[in-house]
Amino acid sequence: MQTGNFEEALTYIDRILENFPHDPVTHTSRGHACKTMGDTDAAIASYQSAISVHAYHGEAYYSLANLKTYTFSPEEIAGMHALEANSNLPHMDRIYSCFALGKAYEDSHDYERSFAYYKQGNALKKAQSQYRHERMSEDLLAQQISCTKELFSKHEGDGCLKADPIFIVGLPRAGSTLLEQILSSHSQVDGTLELPNILSLSQRLRRRRRTGNSKDYPGNLHELTGDELKEFGEEYIRDTQIHRQGAPLFIDKMPNNFRHIGLIKLILPNAKIIDARRNPMACCFGGYKQLFAEGQEFTYSLEDVASYYRDYLSVMNYWEEVLPGFVLTVTNEDMIDDFENQVRRMLEFCGLPFEQACLEFHIH
C-alpha cells in the first residue's frame, strides 16, 4: 500500500482475512485500499465489516465519515454514542468517535451538536500533542531570515538541473488533491503520493547542528557547497523513482513542503512549485474538521490553525519576493469559477502542452 500497489496489497489482505476473519484492523485496511482505488462501495463494505466484528472499533466509523459522501444510519449513530459512552474505550477510539459524530450531525444540519463533537475530538487530540504555534512561527520566520536573495544568487546554476518534479504545496484541505488529479491526467505526468523526501532532508540538515559546529537549519544552507546541493537533488530524484510509472514529470503533493521552498530551489532549481490556496475560513475550518492520520498538529485548535494560516501567507509572500515566478498560486475559488483557464495556466507553467484529459480528469 505504501508504494501505491493497492491491487497486490488487496490480495495479501484477503489472504490474511481468510485466516483471521474477525480482525477489525485488517478489514479497515482493506477499506482504505478500496477507497484509494476508487471502489467506494467495497470500502464501505469493508468498514462495516470491521464494525460488525468489533463494535468498538472507532477507526472504522471515522473511516466511513472520512469518505465525505457517506450518510450514517440511525443505528450507526446509536452505535457511535455507545462507543463514546464506554468508559473503557481507548483514547484514540474516543477521538475517532467524536470526529465521526461531528460529521454525522453536520450532515443532519445539527451544527451546534456537530461543532461540539469536533471541538471535543480536537481537544482530545490536542492533549496528546506537543505542538506550540509560537515555535512554528519562529521556524517559518527563520526561513525568511536565512533564505536570502544573496544565497540564491550565490548558488545560481548549482543543484540537480532535472525538471522532473512538480511540487504541489499549501495547507491541507486547500484543494491540492484536485490539482494533483488534474495534472496527473496528463500523459507526461505521473501522480504519486505525499512524498516525505524533502521533509526528511530538512530533518537531516537539522541534525547537523547536533553533531558539529554547523548552524541550525535553515541557517546552515549557507554552509552547503554546490556539490552537496547537486548530490541532495540527485538523491531526491533517485529515491522517488519507486513511485513513478515512466512519465517524464511527476507530482510530489506533500503540502508541508511550502516551508522548505528555499531548500527545493537550491537542490532542484528547475522544479515547478504550485501553491494550492483556499479562502482562510474554508481552509482553516476544513482542517479543524479533519482528523489527519499523522502530522498537521496545528489543526487541533482554532487558535493554532489561524496562526498557522497567517504564517503560511507570510512565508509564501516572502518566497514570491525573493524567488519571483518560482511558485504559481492557484486558488480553489478560481478553479471553481474559471476551471479551463486555470488548468491551461497550470499546464503552461509546467511547460506542458494542453490535453483534454486534464479537463476530464474525473472520468479517467
Side-chain angles (χ1 to χ4, degrees):
M1 289 175 69
Q2 288 183 340
T3 60
N5 191 346
F6 294 98
E7 290 186 5
E8 187 168 358
L10 280 173
T11 64
Y12 285 106
I13 288 172
D14 288 341
R15 285 167 58 186
I16 293 169
L17 287 173
E18 287 177 9
N19 293 282
F20 302 96
H22 300 294
D23 178 28
V25 175
T26 305
H27 281 289
T28 303
S29 294
R30 189 180 197 286
H32 296 340
C34 293
K35 173 189 173 182
T36 306
M37 293 175 65
D39 191 346
T40 303
D41 289 342
I44 290 172
S46 292
Y47 295 142
Q48 290 175 334
S49 293
I51 295 168
S52 69
V53 299
H54 187 64
Y56 291 144
H57 188 56
E59 185 181 359
Y61 280 112
Y62 176 70
S63 297
L64 287 168
N66 201 34
L67 292 171
K68 310 304 182 187
T69 56
Y70 184 79
T71 301
F72 287 107
S73 68
E75 293 76 17
E76 288 171 327
I77 294 175
M80 287 187 283
H81 279 297
L83 198 70
E84 184 198 14
N86 182 351
S87 60
N88 295 319
L89 191 67
H91 188 79
M92 197 62 217
D93 284 304
R94 191 171 303 282
I95 292 171
Y96 283 132
S97 66
C98 286
F99 276 90
L101 283 165
K103 177 64 165 57
Y105 285 113
E106 182 179 4
D107 288 344
S108 64
H109 308 293
D110 188 345
Y111 299 119
E112 185 173 352
R113 203 169 185 184
S114 170
F115 185 81
Y117 277 113
Y118 284 135
K119 184 177 181 180
Q120 182 180 344
N122 276 295
L124 290 169
K125 188 68 177 173
K126 173 74 174 174
Q128 295 180 313
S129 172
Q130 296 182 339
Y131 178 85
R132 297 294 179 269
H133 65 78
E134 297 87 355
R135 192 180 310 154
M136 180 59 67
S137 297
E138 291 173 1
D139 284 350
L140 291 177
L141 181 60
Q143 293 285 338
Q144 300 176 51
I145 292 171
S146 299
C147 296
T148 60
K149 288 183 178 180
E150 292 73 23
L151 174 64
F152 298 121
S153 295
K154 171 186 172 183
H155 288 292
E156 188 171 355
D158 290 338
C160 174
L161 301 183
K162 284 184 174 292
D164 300 22
I166 301 170
F167 293 92
I168 299 179
V169 304
L171 270 60
R173 317 309 302 166
S176 61
T177 299
L178 172 63
L179 303 190
E180 190 272 339
Q181 290 174 336
I182 292 168
L183 289 173
S184 64
S185 297
H186 197 284
S187 62
Q188 297 182 36
V189 181
D190 284 333
T192 64
L193 308 170
E194 295 184 0
L195 305 179
N197 303 69
I198 295 295
L199 302 184
S200 296
L201 175 57
S202 73
Q203 291 301 318
R204 283 165 54 191
L205 291 171
R206 287 185 194 280
R207 289 194 293 271
R208 285 192 172 197
R209 174 66 183 270
R210 303 170 201 162
T211 58
N213 296 321
S214 174
K215 292 181 180 179
D216 199 1
Y217 173 81
N220 59 10
L221 291 175
H222 289 266
E223 302 167 4
L224 299 177
T225 66
D227 287 342
E228 285 180 301
L229 296 175
K230 182 179 180 181
E231 181 181 339
F232 286 143
E234 290 176 345
E235 177 185 285
Y236 173 88
I237 296 295
R238 183 176 62 252
D239 290 350
T240 54
Q241 189 67 41
I242 190 174
H243 301 289
R244 302 174 63 177
Q245 291 85 47
L249 304 182
F250 72 100
I251 296 170
D252 179 341
K253 66 177 291 287
M254 174 63 76
N256 294 346
N257 282 337
F258 81 86
R259 306 176 196 167
H260 307 289
I261 286 175
L263 173 61
I264 293 172
K265 176 63 176 177
L266 291 171
I267 69 171
L268 293 161
N270 293 324
K272 302 297 184 183
I273 301 181
I274 297 175
D275 172 26
R277 193 171 297 187
R278 189 180 179 191
N279 173 278
M281 182 63 79
C283 186
C284 292
F285 192 50
Y288 187 72
K289 294 191 299 180
Q290 181 71 37
L291 177 59
F292 295 95
E294 58 183 19
Q296 317 301 6
E297 293 182 86
F298 66 92
T299 62
Y300 301 126
S301 89
L302 295 177
E303 293 77 9
D304 287 348
V305 74
S307 174
Y308 193 86
Y309 192 96
R310 288 195 300 269
D311 291 337
Y312 152 74
L313 288 183
S314 175
V315 77
M316 293 309 299
N317 289 338
Y318 179 76
W319 297 133
E320 179 58 28
E321 177 186 333
V322 296
L323 298 170
F326 187 54
V327 180
L328 178 72
T329 299
V330 179
T331 69
N332 187 258
E333 291 75 23
D334 286 343
M335 288 299 298
I336 294 170
D337 295 337
D338 191 24
F339 181 69
E340 181 171 343
N341 284 334
Q342 292 301 314
V343 171
R344 290 180 178 273
R345 180 168 166 254
M346 285 195 298
L347 293 176
E348 182 180 358
F349 176 76
C350 295
L352 292 165
F354 174 77
E355 288 185 0
Q356 185 68 21
C358 294
L359 299 182
E360 301 170 350
F361 68 96
H362 53 286
I363 61 175
H364 291 274

